[in-house]
Amino acid sequence: MDTRSNLLATALTAFVERGYDATTLQTIREQAGISNGSLFHFFRSKEALGAALYLEGILKYQQGLIEVLEKPCEEAALGIKAMVRYHFLWVESNVELSRYLFERGRPDWGPDHIEAIRLANARTYRAIENWLTDPVRAGQLRQQPLAVAVALLQGATLALSRAWLEAPTPGKLVRHTNPLAESLWAAFQLVQETEK
């Protein structure tokens, strides 16, 4: 593992175990087994390290979601199920990173970081909008504002994921895929067409 990746992995473990505020750069440096010079070569502050970790986590998650959205799918219900399943499997496979992303869900690391997150989110929203186009044209889904579609597709998965991450003996998160996908499909059918 290269030095930068080692720093990010070490910081993630420390942030999750101790909390972001209670973790110091010195602790991360010592646990990573690197010098001050190496640390500051990559990250000038804990905030810079934390911001990089957050951004890389979001980008990793969103890239996988976009790949799911770009796969051909003739039935919208199956597409919704694929999105839900991807989300739950990603959280199960990235427990520490998911906890960190939820904890730092309102990043405050400066305008450059906030702009990078905004651009990443905009790319994901465009992918969701593009995915919705064919099912809406085919009459499988009702036309609705993009914000409503995103809220339906992501809101419940995020809420279930947060609850699962906080549970002491959570079992498998992916077991909720079918019930949630079916509920979301029903919700999409019930959303009334509104003026934009």
Side-chain angles (χ1 to χ4, degrees), residues 173-195:
L173 178 58
V174 75
R175 76 184 187 277
H176 297 300
T177 299
N178 287 340
L180 181 57
E182 289 166 9
S183 296
L184 289 173
W185 173 246
F188 264 97
Q189 302 309 299
L190 294 172
V191 172
Q192 297 299 312
E193 189 170 338
T194 59
E195 290 185 5

Side-chain angles (χ1 to χ4, degrees), residues 17 74 108 141 147 152 177 186:
E17 288 178 356
E74 293 183 6
D108 54 0
L141 298 175
L152 286 171
T177 299

Side-chain angles (χ1 to χ4, degrees), residues 6-34:
N6 180 30
L7 277 167
L8 289 170
T10 303
L12 175 59
T13 299
F15 291 157
V16 170
E17 288 178 356
R18 292 183 170 86
Y20 177 83
D21 293 332
T23 301
T24 65
L25 268 184
Q26 181 178 343
T27 299
I28 294 167
R29 182 189 63 74
E30 289 172 356
Q31 290 184 346
I34 63 167

Side-chain angles (χ1 to χ4, degrees), residues 46-119:
K46 182 175 80 169
E47 290 74 18
L49 197 162
L53 182 60
Y54 186 91
L55 180 59
E56 288 188 18
I58 289 292
L59 291 175
K60 180 180 172 185
Y61 167 79
Q62 290 181 342
Q63 181 56 43
L65 178 60
I66 289 169
E67 289 170 9
V68 170
L69 291 165
E70 289 176 345
K71 288 181 182 173
C73 185
E74 293 183 6
E75 295 182 38
L78 294 178
I80 290 170
K81 181 177 177 180
M83 283 183 259
V84 171
R85 181 173 173 78
Y86 166 76
H87 176 89
F88 288 159
L89 287 174
W90 193 90
V91 171
E92 283 185 358
S93 299
N94 298 275
V95 172
E96 282 192 341
L97 185 53
S98 296
R99 285 191 172 118
Y100 178 72
L101 293 176
F102 275 114
E103 179 187 328
R104 301 299 295 174
R106 296 182 63 83
D108 54 0
W109 292 303
D112 291 344
H113 175 74
I114 291 169
E115 178 63 8
I117 295 294
R118 187 193 68 75
L119 290 172

